[in-house]
Amino acid sequence: MQLISTGVKGLDELLGGGLPKGKCVLVVGSPGAGKTILQMQFLTSGAKADERGLYVAMDETPEQVKTNLSSFGWDIEGLEKNGEILFLDATMLRQGGIRKNNVLVSSKFEDSSEPKITVRFLVETITKIVKEEDIQRIAVDPVTSIMLRYDATFKKRRALLTFFDSLINSGCTSLVSTELRTGMLSRSFQLEEFLSQGVILMHTMVHAGTVIRAIQVEKMRGIAHDAQLRPYQITSKGIEVYPKDRVFESQPT
Ligand SMILES: Nc1ncnc2c1ncn2[C@@H]1O[C@H](COP(=O)(O)OP(=O)(O)O)[C@@H](O)[C@H]1O
Ligand SMILES: [Mg+2]
């Protein structure tokens, strides 16, 4: 299996070299964990390796994301201008939906000539851009809003499967973020974790009054990886993972 760099050296080390090329890996974490930062590091390092990236903005607009990440000095605007990173604004998918013919459409578009924003439409758009622009890396941030469109679990499952399948069939390596919806260490598995080929968890916990950040490769099909909790920090350079360090004194190495 060919492995490609995440753009974070210490994380590559945990993964035994990097992400499995052509697969779809989930990044799970609470708000502020650094998921967006990690995803953009993945795309900017792709640009250095001559792999074009597509950032699919599901929650915050591309402009908000670029502003939030401006302090890291990655020259995202420059990379965008050169066509090395492309941005797709899919935030409309999230706006107040109504159910119509069993498909959720944005109420905003109900009586207008604008296209209905559906998961299928999003999939088709991404597929088209990947082909036309020769994209090799995709970041979807976050995938949560796809699920919010459906009540029934089987519908969420079906929509997610369709979405993940389309990412895998595109031939790209994808990093998809999702919000941690339950407690940290005693949490239950989330639907999207079962459906993806790999899961990276970003934990934020308070221990003895101090905030501790820990990253963990929970699963990565076909790869022998380190499954321990490892400390990470967000610095002016982005995410830094310390692959040899322990989070707790009592933790095995
Ligand atoms: N320049 C910076 N230096 C250090 N930490 C930063 C910097 N910019 C943002 N952060 C940290 O990154 C966090 C946001 O990261 P982000 O990737 O947006 O999180 P998520 O996408 O998981 O919600 C903030 O909570 C803040 O702690
Ligand atoms: Mg984010």
Side-chain angles (χ1 to χ4, degrees), residues 30-38 68 71-72 141 213 234-236:
S30 44
K35 302 182 293 296
T36 302
I37 298 172
L38 177 63
N68 292 346
S71 68
F72 295 105
D141 189 25
R213 294 190 191 276
I234 306 176
T235 72
S236 58

Side-chain angles (χ1 to χ4, degrees), residues 17-32:
L19 293 171
K21 194 176 166 80
K23 305 289 184 199
C24 175
V25 170
L26 204 65
V27 181
V28 188
S30 44

Side-chain angles (χ1 to χ4, degrees), residues 167-240:
L167 292 178
I168 293 160
N169 291 337
S170 75
C172 296
T173 311
S174 306
L175 211 47
V176 175
S177 75
T178 193
E179 300 289 341
L180 191 63
R181 292 189 292 275
T182 53
M184 243 87 64
L185 293 173
S186 61
R187 73 198 187 84
S188 56
F189 287 89
Q190 298 178 184
L191 179 61
E192 57 272 40
E193 295 178 50
F194 289 111
L195 302 180
S196 67
Q197 293 157 317
V199 177
I200 298 171
L201 283 171
M202 297 174 93
H203 303 273
T204 306
M205 47 206 146
V206 179
H207 182 70
T210 315
V211 175
I212 296 173
R213 294 190 191 276
I215 198 163
Q216 179 188 18
V217 180
E218 183 185 68
K219 92 170 179 190
M220 204 59 60
R221 284 199 190 130
I223 289 184
H225 61 87
D226 179 315
Q228 288 293 326
L229 281 174
R230 300 294 177 190
Y232 74 94
Q233 275 182 355
I234 306 176
T235 72
S236 58
K237 291 186 203 146
I239 307 282
E240 286 188 24

